[in-house]
């Protein structure tokens, strides 16, 4: 199957590579000509701009956008809208806001162009492991692009099938799911990323407790100097908290037990905020996910003003003297 890919960054380029390994023909474009040339050397057909990409695709076309959410995706869709024709398919595989998907699909529908939103999880490992995908769109169009989706998906691998799934959609067991109408794919991926925040925060706080078990404030017999890399490794094997995130944690700690090479500032992507907004709209309590998001905000406050204010109040009501760590 022929497909155009716009955006050849950390994930877009590897999506193209995995598709080519699966026998698909890729026409690729990135605003950085070097990225386009790199994939062209590996067998893709390079395009000089969006018009060139569309011209090199046979109708009805399939164009996969792998771009940052927001203005660049909006601008690219506006440009494509002027040159695509009826029955073409646009796939947004980035992390767009699901309400934007609904609006975009309605606009494209007026000219007969189909829109599919694909929440894509797998990161830089997707080339080898495959991508878990959550797909929103019309059923007939999702089935039309199934040859692409089935190659990108991880497949069953060695994961046992969950009991009592007889008669359910077999695509789910291969790592991709048609979640429903337009917008639902990115909605499910949005909540997935919100959960990811909470899981990451739980690991970080747990290991923080382990790391500080040897502080001098504790009685000597209660102090333990724990090897965090080994703790992470043993938890990977048979523990109920084992996960891919723990695998990545174990690898990082094995390389650098103090994690000195990593920043204390943790960025948040739009999905974490959108998940909390959705919870507010639905009146659903999400204490853990909210706290994880707010912790990321706090990590970027180099002044630590709130903590200094707490110290000021503690001194005010109780005379507790606290001093900056030097």
């Amino acid at each position: 199957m022929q497909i155009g890919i716009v955006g050849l960054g950390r994930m877009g380029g590897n999506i193209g590579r995995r598709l080519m390994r699966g026998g698909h023909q890729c026409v690729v474009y990135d605003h950085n000509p070097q990225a386009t040339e790199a994939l062209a050397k590996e067998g893709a057909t390079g395009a000089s701009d969006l018009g060139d990409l569309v011209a090199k695709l046979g109708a009805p076309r399939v164009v996969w956008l792998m771009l940052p959410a927001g203005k660049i995706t909006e601008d690219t869709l506006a440009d494509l809208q002027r040159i695509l024709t009826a029955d073409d398919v646009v796939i947004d595989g980035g992390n767009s806001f699901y309400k934007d998907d609904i609006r975009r699909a309605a606009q494209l529908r007026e000219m007969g162009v189909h829109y599919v939103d694909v929440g894509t999880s797998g990161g830089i490992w997707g080339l080898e492991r495959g991508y878990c995908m959550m797909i929103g769109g019309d059923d007939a169009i999702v089935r039309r692009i199934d040859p692409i989706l089935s190659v990108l998906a991880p497949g069953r691998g060695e994961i046992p099938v969950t009991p009592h799934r007889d008669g359910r959609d077999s695509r789910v067991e291969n790592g991709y799911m048609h979640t429903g109408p337009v917008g639902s794919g990115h909605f499910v991926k949005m909540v997935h990323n919100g959960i990811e925040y909470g899981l990451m925060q739980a690991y970080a706080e747990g290991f923080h407790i382990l790391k500080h078990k040897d502080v001098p404030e504790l009685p000597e017999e209660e102090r333990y100097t724990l090897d965090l890399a080994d703790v992470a490794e043993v938890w990977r094997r048979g523990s109920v908290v084992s996960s891919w995130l723990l695998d990545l944690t174990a690898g990082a700690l094995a390389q650098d037990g103090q994690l000195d090479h990593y920043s204390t500032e943790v960025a948040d992507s739009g999905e974490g905020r959108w998940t909390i907004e959705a919870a507010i709209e639905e009146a659903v309590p999400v204490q853990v996910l909210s706290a994880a998001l707010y912790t990321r905000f706090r990590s970027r406050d180099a002044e630590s003003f709130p903590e200094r204010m707490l110290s000021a109040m503690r001194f005010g009501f109780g005379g507790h003297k606290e001093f900056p760590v030097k």
Side-chain angles (χ1 to χ4, degrees), residues 189-207 241 243 245-246 249 266-269 271-273 275-276 286-296:
K189 176 58 162 54
M190 176 189 81
V191 177
H192 162 285
N193 282 26
I195 293 171
E196 179 185 296
Y197 280 34
L199 292 173
M200 294 172 68
Q201 186 65 27
Y203 282 128
E205 292 181 7
F207 277 93
V241 299
S243 72
L245 287 173
L246 184 60
T249 300
V266 185
D268 73 283
S269 57
E271 303 95 311
R273 302 186 189 206
T275 300
I276 307 306
V286 286
Q287 295 94 325
V288 171
L289 305 191
S290 298
L293 175 64
Y294 297 151
T295 299
R296 294 197 178 194

Side-chain angles (χ1 to χ4, degrees), residues 293-306:
L293 175 64
Y294 297 151
T295 299
R296 294 197 178 194
F297 294 164
R298 179 67 57 81
S299 76
R300 300 197 291 275
D301 185 358
E303 297 294 327
S304 297
F305 179 77

Side-chain angles (χ1 to χ4, degrees), residues 106-117:
Q107 293 172 346
L108 291 171
R109 194 177 297 121
E110 292 178 357
M111 52 182 292
V113 174
H114 310 287
Y115 183 94
V116 178
D117 56 290

Side-chain angles (χ1 to χ4, degrees), residues 2 8 49 86-87 94 97 106 114 129 148 157 162 165 168 222 241 243 274 286 303 325-326:
Q2 191 186 41
L8 306 175
D49 54 33
D87 209 27
F97 186 40
H114 310 287
R129 292 170 58 106
I148 294 167
T162 301
R165 281 196 53 85
R168 290 182 174 271
E222 295 181 12
V241 299
S243 72
W274 299 334
V286 286
E303 297 294 327
V325 176
K326 295 182 180 179

Side-chain angles (χ1 to χ4, degrees), residues 207-226:
F207 277 93
H208 200 195
I209 296 169
L210 295 172
K211 186 176 187 296
H212 285 271
K213 187 54 179 168
D214 62 352
V215 294
E217 290 81 5
L218 292 172
E220 186 173 354
E221 65 272 16
E222 295 181 12
R223 298 180 205 162
Y224 309 134
T225 302
L226 299 166

